[in-house]
Structures are given as C-alpha cells and as structure tokens.
Amino acid sequence: MSAHGTRGSGTTWVGRAIRRLEDPALITGKGRFTADLPAIHWVRFVRSTVAAGKLTKVHAPKGAMVITAADLKGVKKITPMLHKFNYRPVGQPALADGMVRFTGEPVAAVVAASEEEAEDIADQVELSIDETTPVTDARRALEAGAPQVHAEAPGNVILEGKVKTPDFDTVWNGAHKIVKVEARSRRQNATPMEPRGAHASYDVSTGRVTLTCTTQMPHLTRTAICDVLAFPESDLRVIAPDVGGGFGQKMSLASEYVVLVWLARKLKSSVAWTEDRRENLIAGFHSRDQHITLEGAFDRQSKLVALKADIVSNVGAYSCFPTTCGVEPLMAMAEMPGPYDVQQYACLARGVITNTCTMAPYRGVSRPVITFTLERLMDKAARAFAIDPIDIRRRNLIDKFPYKSAMGLEYDDATYKETLEMAVEAVDVPAFRARQKEARAKGRYLGIGFATFSERTGYGSPAFAARGMEITPGWETVIVSVDPSGFVEARIGSSPHGQGLRTTLAQIIADAIGTTPEMIKVVHGDTDRAPYGWGTFASRSLVISGGATLIAARKVRAKLIKIASHMLEAAPDDIVLADGSAKVAGTDRAIPIAKLAREAYTQTHRFKGEIEPGLTETGHYDPPGTFSNACHDAIVDVDAETGHVKVERFVVAEDAGLIINPMIADGQVHGGIAQGIGNALLEEIIYDDNGGILTATLADYLPPTAHEIPPIELHHIETPSPNSITKAKGLGEGGCIGAPAAVVNAINDALSPFGVEIEEIPATPQRIRAALRSAEKHSAHSRASGNPGP
Amino acid sequence: MKPAPFVRHVPKTLDEALKILADVAPQDGRVLAGGQSLVPIMAFRLAKPAHLVDINEVVGLDKVISDGTTLTIGARVRHAAFHKSVVDNPLGQLLSAVVRHIAHYPIRMRGTFCGSLAHADPASEWCLVVATLDATLVAKSTRGERLIAAKDFFAGIMSTALAEDELLAEARLPLLASDVRFGFNEFNRRAGDFAMAASLVTYRLNAGKIAEARVGLGGAESFPRRIVEAEAALNGKTPGDTVFRAAAEAAAKAIDPLEDHQTNAEYRRDLVRAVVRRALEQSA
Amino acid sequence: MDITLTINGRDHAIAVEPRRTLADAIREDCGQTGTHIGCEHGICGACTIIVDGEPIRSCLMFAVQANGKKIRTVEGLANGDKLHPMQQAFMDHHGLQCGFCTPGFLMLAIGVLEREPNISDDGLLDVLSSNLCRCTGYQNIIKAVRAAAKDMRKE
Ligand SMILES: Cc1cc2nc3c(=O)[nH]c(=O)nc-3n(C[C@H](O)[C@H](O)[C@H](O)COP(=O)(O)OP(=O)(O)OC[C@H]3O[C@@H](n4cnc5c(N)ncnc54)[C@H](O)[C@@H]3O)c2cc1C
Ligand code: FES
Ligand code: FES
C-alpha cells in the first residue's frame, strides 16, 4: 500500500504521478545505449592477473596492435586532489606503468576489428610481472611492516581526518554508560545492469572527438580527459546517451575512457570498448569496505551525550576522480552523528590505500555504513539500559530546527520523530511481539529492526568545499527556452540515467509557465547541447537542477507576462499564464503562449527596446543543502539452522520535502531499499589471500532477485524545505541508507534469545551460523559446567 | 567475454553424431546440448573447445519413454519437459517437484537432463536424482554402448566416467512403487542459484516402519551420492522427528564437505543437517 | 556461415562465425539493439528473447542455432503505435527506470504468459526472479506484470 491520499491528484503538474516522458522509447527498444553504437575498431583491455608487482614487459603477438604505457608518453596521470586532511596525491596512469597495484588493473589495450578478435589477441598477450606481496585488508595495511602500495602514501594512509569538540573529554568522562560497536562493512560493487563502456569517434574534418560513454557526469569527464591528454575542451564532445544505471560507479572517471579518446585521435577513426561483467566486477570500482568502531556515551536517562568514532576506509589502489577517495571516510566523519542530538563528538577517519580495486562513491556513499553502525549502537544501548529500542530513539532524535550538528552542519526542518512514530504505528509493534513470542516457541525466529536516519541531499558547493576538494561541485545551470513555435526546451547540466528527471523538470516548468509537460523537452548528457554542469549523483539533481530550472522558468514566465501585457494592453499583474495561454484576469481576452513566443522572435520591433529579443533564460542554483529523513523498519524471519534470512516485510516512513512526482519518488525509494537489502544480506566482493577476486561472476556476487525483496510499504510526510526553492529534498539514496541497518537490527532482534550479535554486513547465512554455533557451543559448555545458559 | 573460435558440427542422426565425436574428441571436441553450462564457461574462456558437436538436431534423442518399469530420458530432453509430470507414477511427480529448483524458466527451456549429468556440477539437482534413485546411464560411442550405474558415473567435481568420445545418449530411471514417499529440500542464498546443499529422500512404509530408505545428498561433496549411514538410521524406524534428526545428523557426520568462499566445512554440515531433515519432513 | 535470422517477421541474411552468440548477432549483425547484454553468462536476463515461442537467454545460444527459427524481440511487441499490454502496463505502473533490463523483463513475462496464461501470482514471482533489475526494487515490475497478465487473459 502506498499512503498517497491526495498525492498524485494535484491540480497543477507538480505533485502528480504522471507517466514518464522517458518511457516510450525505452519500452519499445528504441533507447540508445553506448554499446549500441557501431565502431570500426574494438578494444579489449589486458588486465593484471596479480594484485601487486613490478611490470617488466608486455609481450604482444606479432602484427597485433597492442598499446601500453610506453605508447602513452605525455599522457598525464589521473591525479585528483584534496587540499586538506593530510591528503597524499597519488596518480593513476591510464595503463599500468611499471607497477601493477590491483587484480584487474588495465595494463594494455588491444585494438582489433571486432570484440572477438580483440579478445583472441588479448588472450595471447603475456605479461611479465615480478610479483610482490599484496595487502588487501585496510587494517593489515595499517600495521607496521605492511607492504607499501604507493611511495607517496607512507604507511598506506592517504588521508586522515580528525575532529574533537572542545568539551568532549569532560562530557565523555562524566558519562554514565559507554556502549561500543565494532562494525564491519564488506566490499561491494554498485552493479548497474549496464556495465561501463565507451565509444570514441574522430571527425576528420574538424579534428574533434566525440566520446559517447556510460557516465553520470559528461562535462567533468570532458575536463578530466582534456587535462590528462592536454588538448582543448572544445575538441572533445562527451555524450552520455541512455545510461543503464550508475549508482555512483559511473560518476568516477574510468581510465579506460582516456585510452579510448587517445586511440580515436591516434587512429583518426572510431573505437569502442564494452566492459564485460567480469571486468565490471573486478575493476569497475568498488565501495563500502570499512571498519568503524563507534562508542556512545550516555547519561543516566539514556540520552546520548558524546560519540567517538574510529573510521578506517579501504579506498583501494588509487584515488577516484573527481571526488578523491576522501568521499567515504570524510563523509562518514562529517555525518556520523546522524539524526541524533549529540553535541560532543570525536572522530579519527583514515583512508587506507591497498592492493584492491579503487573505491568510488556508491549510492548512499558512507551513510549505509554509518547508519548501520549508529543504529546498532542505539539498539545496543537500549539493551544496556533495558529499554525499548523505539524509546531510546524517541529520547535522542533531534526535534528542534534548524539544528546545528557537532560538525557544524545545519539541519533544516525535518520529521525524525514523526516518521519514527509513523513507522512504529504501521507495523503494530505489540501485535508483532505477540507473534514473535508464539513463533519462538515453535523454533522460528522473527525479528523487527528500526533505522532512523537523516540524508544530506542537494549538496551545494560549500558542502564540498568543506572537504577541501580541488574540484568543488555544487551548483547547476539550466537554460530554458521557448522556441518560435511554442515548444519548450530545457538544457540542463545534470545527467540523469533512470531517475525520470526529464519528467519531473517538465512538471516544474509546466507549472511555472502554464503549459503541459508534453510541450517540454529536457535536454541533457551532451556537452555540445547542455550547459556546463556536474551531473547526477548524491541525490542532488531534483534539488539543484530542479531549483535552477525553476529559476530559469520563472524568468521565462516574467518575460512571457511582459510580452502579453504589451500585446493585450493590460497591466502585468493582471496577466495569468495557464493552459497554454496568457489571459487577462476576469476577461476573456487571451493569447496562446505559442503566439507570444513567435512575437518574441519575430515582432521585436513592437517592443520598442523594452523587451530583449528571444525567449531564452538561464538559471543557476547553488543551495546550502537540505536533509531528508526517514524511518525504515524491517521484519525478518531468521532460519536458525541455516542462517538464512527472509525479509518478510519492509515499511518506510519518509520525508523528502515536497514531492514533484510521487510515482517516480516511490520508485527511487523501492530501488534503494532493494540495493540496501542486497548490501545487508547478499552482496560481497571477496579477495583471496593473494589479492585475487573470488566473486567475478553474478553467480558469486549476488544482487537480489524479485524473490529476495519483500513488498515495500511507503508512508510519506512532506515537510517543505526552506533550503530548497522547489521545497523538494533529494531522495535518491535514502532507501539504500536505511535498509542495511533495519535488516541487521531485525536479525539481531530475532537472535536475541541466543545472545549473539551480528555487526557485519552482509550478514550472510554463514556468518549468522558461525555466531549461532559459537553461542551453541558456549551454552553447551555452560550447561556442562552448571552455569545457566542464555 | 566472447567464446574462442570453434568448428560446429550438426549431425542429424545418432550414428553421425558418434562418428563426428570419435573424430573430433581427440582435438578437444565436445558435445553441445542445451549450452546453459557450456556457453558461460566458453564465454569466460575457461573452456576453448576446438569443435562442438551440436546434438540439437539429432532425431530421436528428444523422447521421454516409459515402458512400465523404466523411464528413459533422451539426450535432447530439456528441463522444462518436466514442468508437468511426464509419467503416471510417483517418479513423474518427483521430477516435476525437483525441476522447479533448477535455475530459471528461460534456462530450463534450453538446458537438458543429460547435459546436467554430463556436466556433473556437484549441486546439480538431476545428478542428485539419478544418484539417489540408482539410475542407469547409457553411454554410446562408435565403440559401442556402455551402461553405467549412477554410483559409478560421477568421478569428481564436474568429472564423470564418460570417455571423451562418448555421448550420454539417455538416462534410465526406475519407476517408483506406487506407495513410495519422497521429499526434496535444497538451500541456496538467492532464487535460482545452484544449491549449497540439497537432499532427496525416498522410502516406503512397511507396517508403519520405514523401509528401502534412500537418502541422497547433493552440493555437499564433490558429487552427489546416497548416504548409507543416514539410510541405516531410518530403516525399520517409525517416521518422526527424532528419527529424522538422527538421520540428518548421521548424514552431516558422514560427509567429506566441499569448502568454498561462502561455505566452510562446519557450515556445510549445518546445511546438510537442515536439508536432510527437511526433505524427510516433507516426505512424511 | 551464412544464416537467416527471422526477427519479428523480417528476414536478416547474415554471415557469422559459429561462435557468435545470438544476442550479439541480433544486435551487431541485424542492428536490433533493443535486446541488451548485461552479463553474457546467463544470470541477468537482459538478453531474454522469444525463439519459436520459448523465452530463452540469447547470450547462451549461438546465432547459427537459430537459423530459420522465429525470433521475437522487444522491437516487435508494439503493433504500430499500439503498445503491447505488457509495455503499457510497464509505463502505467512505472516498471522501469533506466530501462536497461526492461526488454528482457518484457520478453520474459510475455514469453511465459503466452505459454502459461493462468500461471499463479506466486508462479509469476518465481518467473520474474529469473532476471535482474537494479533500479526498481522489482515492486513495480511485479505490479505491472500482474496487471498485464490480467489484460492478456482477456484478449
Ligand atoms: C544462471 C544459471 C543457473 C543455473 N542453475 C542451475 C541449478 O540450480 N541447477 C542445475 O542443475 N543446473 C543449473 N544450471 C545449469 C543448467 O541446468 C544446464 O542446463 C546444465 O547444467 C547443462 O545442461 P545443458 O544441456 O545446458 O548442457 P551444455 O551446457 O550443452 O553442456 C554441458 C557439458 O556437458 C557436456 N554434454 C552435454 N550433453 C552431453 C551428452 N549428452 N553427452 C556427453 N556430454 C554432454 C558438454 O560437452 C559440456 O561439457 C544453471 C545455469 C545457469 C546459466
Ligand atoms: S546477458 Fe544473457 S543473461 Fe545476462
Ligand atoms: S530499470 Fe534499470 S535495471 Fe531495471
């Protein structure tokens, strides 16, 4: 059930669940994805089969075209930069140069007439590598004497963030109880259904290259590639066509794309590379590999008074461009306190470099992990105080706004407590407890788990600047123009790939200028057509691009009114724009917008210089950022014999401000939750002791199927954000952020009779069984020695 | 992930197929049946056969025939053929209960019963079925025909008694007595994936006591087999929780567990204990 | 090898190596790029199409094996401007986001429902677990397919 009520039946376009404008092409097979383009040359990358070593030679078969680092002379390394936190810049060569640092690192590029042929040749390329001992685990990499991955990062620490509020020690020392969680999040891969890929073609007449690729940020891809290849941006056009999901994996620059552009310029032809699933799983960016030790100090009333965190983030072999590998540890540090009112905070956050695939942002970035850790802490504290997990949240959630966090972040109006109560009511906790008791008597272990969280969305440039990023994204630009025939085009810097932004922005514009969404085309993903922008990531597009759209559309509206007032000889205040026309209020005098648009171009002499020609306006928006919030609760059935967890039911109460299109918003939440459940239970990239990957197929790395995802119930509150001009907050990541915590808390609730704790995601059946087995042994032992069991 | 090149042969008759297989087997020639295991392996280039003998157009291999005592399943019979009961005998129900655990619908449209046996994945449901029921497997080559008992057929992980030039032409399964009870249970983490442990049990009741118990176990060792220790724990006993648990425990003890990145030996035994008991419960 | 692939009623005479998968041949040699490739090892289902009435993984079949068979892909579902009820249901219920998995899900659901129109809701859920989608959390795919199943039964 979806508690829409009046949702979806608004009279204006904003707030209505209209069908997506994106769908007709996609549903009929007419979508255009990168791999759909034909090419003259195909590339296959030869990748390192070992995790660490000195590359001494690449033996290529005779007559084959095999490009190595030696060919790429003058190509700069990809070297993103942070100017804070003791960051050590490390560069990534487009192809391994002298050293290999992870299994799957591209070493050579084979060029041939077909993918098959390129792969045949790649099979024959032999790499001479003097293997050295790799280090894949972050904690091991921190130990004295651990292998050094980059000379530039001694001790393998690539960055270190430290904070401590002034009164921390006093409050900590005076606390009544300290509760501790040792959380571990294993490594994941975002796994978009479309793997990465690129197609670069050279135009012999202009010398320009067009790179079509699976990216979430076309403009930045252009800037980055032109930087490392040292040629003007005007000679490179980057197109993000239909993109089959990204979830962050497609926002970081793939070194492979650099090679493709280099090849297109060298061959003066078209070259293509389609990543296969194995490459994607071993080398297509990983994420979430973190250890967090979190301690909470509570007073006698179970109020959290201080938090202490030690965050160790395994960032892989290189630093991702443009965010740098700071994105995980630094976000964890900044947002660890979450939705709870706690003013004393101390944190050490380290990014640790290892011989593993490079980390990149993945939906939610650090927040699924910190929420999981913090929500474990709350449940454990509730146990320590012998109070209900819901009550401890009631006592600690922020309820006065705006709120300034211990890290100095300003939280805008939100509904932490209200969504908690909504979610609690939706599941009928007392009825569940009764059912749980009955089931236990029959050897079935049901559990319920809650997760409340805040999700910072719509990050503007100040938020990124706080991290000291050399490339500080934030703002967006939108150009809205009405052409002389009355059709509207909005060119946007964001680059959506499944989020339905073409539809939601059209809804915003339709309301602003009194037309219908079908009249509006949103253009994105092409550096030749769209204004410079940052792309689509971090739940930002609807807030920031939506804001810029509204600003531009309002300017267009003002101009339309001006023209109408001229033509209708009425005061601007009396003009109403609606249903495709400008009307004089209270009369039947009206002019279609299409006619006004025509006049704006063709009858400018009439406006006597008072109105500039044309009907194109630009909006820029750079918001301070806003916080969405939600409470997730999961009901699980844990099979104590096999360790299998079935998620029976999943309830969400969420507040993402004003909702532009409820259907699309709900879809985003559904998708996030499914990924969160995958993160909680199934998905894990596993390295062996030699740094080889054991999970290089989709039979080993396990995204959930329809079977593993329960029906998801959504409940909504819409608190308009004062920090967002559309009043909307972002919600693209939230589903993913709360689900692991809710699911693992539910597992722990289910297993409470055994006295075991699971503090690791994914909570695989083997891990659950191992915990239960040790409890069984322990209880057998205590029975034998006469001690009471659990 | 494109397969390496190969030469494809498309025989129309069994004799022709055997002749070609005899010719190409020494040059890494292989049978292509449903392709649902072979093609992925070729895509990863873990196998690069030089020749494929595609048996999909060979006449006569697509039949399921019952003669009243034996069910004969030809080499081209696809998994999906068993979605509905193929014979009016408990065996028909058993096969249709098991088949829905194999992979997914579109894979079952192509994958073959005999291909599964020849491929011999330790977790293959059909391998478990033939091992539990002591089926007979018919291997044919230009050298003649060999009948191989299921217990002698499996030789290790993805390894069988078939010689390179032999085609598994058919599998012969004994029909079951009308009063046979059966139960099947398997464990996997995600729908459609290979089982991490699976058990098939059958038995009859003789004056309320278990008789002719068969406890088959798959996915737990290098190949599926009957676990005599578990059967011994059942025969002569009245079915019930204690007896089932004892049999499951016996099975968990008896195995030489496979280990991999998601399953260590202890965990595999846990799973065996669970699937055997659940299969027995289902049968009761 | 010279073969003819009959895709949505149109013959495509092409020359392919025996190793060419049907998915690649449909996309590369016949230019029908609506069928997608997400894993090439049978798990994701993005490549699902209907061959002689059977929903199958086109990455696990060689093109030469489909010579002369009737192939249906997403491009052939709509009748002119009139969408197939399954396509309409996916739009109405927001059963797609990025749209990459969508052709595979459409062909899977249609392929099974044409063979088993009265399949139960649970049976349908089993069938839908054949393919992976990373965007929708499956909620709206399930809704769409159940709704379309009703419509298809009526027709
Ligand atoms: C995603 C996915 C999930 C799967 N899940 C399961 C599962 O849960 N359970 C399960 O049992 N299977 C599963 N499978 C495998 C599937 O059942 C295969 O169909 C089966 O293992 C092999 O049958 P095939 O006809 O496709 O054989 P092929 O793939 O054609 O051949 C497999 C091997 O057997 C040889 N071979 C085939 N037929 C013969 C013959 N008649 N004589 C001699 N040699 C022969 C081939 O040369 C090859 O080496 C899955 C497959 C996929 C892609
Ligand atoms: S591409 Fe065929 S199943 Fe994934
Ligand atoms: S809609 Fe994107 S994978 Fe399904």
Side-chain angles (χ1 to χ4, degrees), chain A residues 126 150 168 298 314 316 539 624 673:
Chain A
E126 280 172 34
H150 285 274
F168 179 83
F298 291 83
N314 186 339
S539 303
I673 286 167

Side-chain angles (χ1 to χ4, degrees), chain A residues 260-602:
Chain A
L260 269 268
V261 173
W262 185 89
L263 277 169
R265 285 161 59 91
K266 180 183 160 69
L267 300 171
K268 304 202 181 325
S269 180
S270 61
V271 283
W273 166 64
T274 304
E275 183 180 57
D276 67 37
R277 184 54 68 183
R278 182 171 179 279
E279 291 179 289
N280 182 267
L281 285 167
I282 68 171
F285 294 115
H286 292 165
S287 54
R288 305 239 207 289
D289 187 347
Q290 293 185 38
H291 299 261
I292 302 183
T293 304
L294 183 67
E295 291 172 274
F298 291 83
D299 70 9
R300 282 179 192 284
Q301 283 73 47
S302 62
K303 169 88 186 56
L304 179 66
V305 291
L307 256 189
K308 183 155 99 186
D310 179 13
I311 296 158
V312 172
S313 172
N314 186 339
V315 304
Y318 297 99
S319 188
C320 56
F321 179 96
T323 58
T324 78
C325 62
V327 64
E328 276 196 0
L330 297 178
M331 186 187 287
M333 179 166 85
E335 298 178 27
M336 192 77 232
Y340 298 108
D341 172 25
V342 55
Q343 284 296 320
Q344 301 306 325
Y345 177 48
C347 179
L348 169 65
R350 282 170 292 177
V352 180
I353 212 128
T354 61
N355 294 111
T356 59
C357 173
T358 304
M359 174 275 293
Y362 167 29
R363 198 175 197 172
V365 189
S366 264
R367 289 160 301 182
V369 186
I370 61 179
T371 301
F372 159 64
T373 310
L374 186 59
E375 292 299 283
R376 282 303 308 134
L377 183 84
M378 282 300 174
D379 271 19
K380 268 185 133 167
R383 173 108 46 97
F385 281 96
I387 61 173
D388 193 284
I390 299 165
D391 283 332
I392 198 161
R393 290 178 170 81
R394 285 182 179 129
R395 265 172 230 189
N396 285 288
L397 286 169
I398 299 167
D399 60 1
K400 292 197 181 58
F401 304 95
Y403 175 88
K404 207 171 198 95
S405 80
M407 286 293 288
L409 306 181
E410 190 181 292
Y411 290 39
D412 54 341
D413 293 0
T415 50
Y416 303 115
K417 288 192 169 166
E418 294 84 343
T419 48
L420 172 68
E421 300 303 343
M422 212 172 185
V424 167
E425 200 176 314
V427 289
D428 190 350
V429 180
F432 171 77
R433 291 288 175 208
R435 190 158 73 89
Q436 182 182 41
K437 206 166 149 197
E438 249 172 65
R440 270 183 199 166
K442 293 185 197 132
R444 268 186 70 208
Y445 297 90
L446 306 181
I448 189 167
F450 290 86
T452 48
F453 63 91
S454 62
E455 177 193 1
R456 192 180 190 191
T457 71
Y459 288 72
S461 54
F464 289 107
R467 288 189 203 150
M469 290 166 70
E470 180 158 291
I471 291 178
T472 302
W475 49 268
E476 274 303 335
T477 298
V478 170
I479 303 167
V480 175
S481 50
V482 187
D483 69 24
S485 41
F487 285 87
V488 184
E489 186 175 81
R491 290 180 283 141
I492 68 171
S494 281
S495 195
H497 41 279
Q499 297 86 351
L501 206 61
R502 277 186 230 167
T503 308
T504 45
L505 296 186
Q507 288 177 269
I508 291 173
I509 297 168
D511 274 358
I513 66 175
T515 181
T516 56
E518 294 81 57
M519 297 289 287
I520 301 163
K521 282 222 162 56
V522 174
V523 175
H524 59 77
D526 180 348
T527 55
D528 271 9
R529 292 269 280 137
Y532 203 97
W534 298 100
T536 292
F537 57 95
S539 303
R540 67 191 299 275
S541 287
L542 190 65
V543 178
I544 311 183
S545 224
T549 299
L550 185 60
I551 291 169
R554 280 180 180 161
K555 288 186 188 168
V556 169
R557 171 194 175 82
K559 191 157 181 185
L560 284 170
I561 289 177
K562 232 179 185 178
I563 300 169
S565 105
H566 237 279
M567 295 182 59
L568 292 165
E569 291 167 352
D573 284 354
D574 291 338
I575 306 282
V576 186
L577 289 184
D579 305 328
S581 292
K583 294 174 191 141
V584 181
T587 73
D588 55 6
R589 285 192 298 143
I591 302 186
I593 287 174
K595 175 105 174 102
L596 295 176
R598 181 58 64 105
E599 306 276 326
Y601 292 90
T602 63

Side-chain angles (χ1 to χ4, degrees), chain A residues 44 119-120 123 276 639 641-642 644 681-682 686 697-698 702-703 707-708 764-766 769 773 777, chain B residues 1-2 5 43-45 48 187-191 193 261-264 266-267 270-271 274 277-278:
Chain A
R44 174 85 187 167
E119 194 167 340
D120 293 346
D123 261 6
D276 67 37
D639 179 345
E641 279 176 283
T642 62
H644 185 259
L681 298 174
L682 292 161
I686 305 175
T697 77
L698 286 179
L702 307 176
H707 227 272
E708 287 74 49
T764 60
Q766 178 173 350
R769 270 305 303 160
R773 229 183 284 115
K777 276 192 195 125
Chain B
M1 284 184 50
K2 309 294 177 195
F44 283 108
R45 297 207 174 193
K48 298 180 198 173
F187 181 82
N188 53 19
R189 292 179 61 191
R190 189 178 61 170
D193 285 351
H261 63 264
Q262 51 172 330
T263 324
N264 61 17
E266 272 184 304
Y267 183 50
D270 286 347
L271 293 179
R277 206 199 72 239
R278 288 168 191 191

